[in-house]
Amino acid sequence: MVLNRDQERWAAALWVEKNHGEAGPAYIAKQVERLTFEGDEAGVETWKAIGDRFDQLMRKSTAN
């Protein structure tokens, strides 16, 4: 199965949720910081998008 970019980002957000739970935002911030330091603008944008999806997951789980 081939995932499109949006599906990959959702999958990554779910992975962060499963493996880092409430520490997910800190993990995502660390990735953004690391990639910023490395000058990887595409990587930064990807992790910011993953962060947006992670936030949506967290809002949805707290609403239930």
Side-chain angles (χ1 to χ4, degrees):
M1 171 174 26
V2 176
L3 301 177
N4 66 38
R5 186 167 290 159
D6 186 54
Q7 291 169 325
E8 289 175 348
R9 291 173 178 173
W10 276 108
L14 288 166
W15 179 88
V16 172
E17 178 187 36
K18 179 180 178 182
N19 290 282
H20 297 279
E22 291 186 17
Y27 177 80
I28 292 167
K30 185 175 180 181
Q31 299 310 308
V32 170
E33 181 180 357
R34 176 181 61 82
L35 292 164
T36 298
F37 179 75
E38 293 174 4
D40 183 349
E41 293 178 29
V44 168
E45 291 307 312
T46 296
W47 275 98
K48 285 181 177 181
I50 292 166
D52 290 342
R53 286 155 180 80
F54 182 85
D55 290 343
Q56 290 178 50
L57 288 171
M58 294 296 95
R59 281 195 303 271
K60 199 172 234 188
S61 68
T62 58
N64 292 331

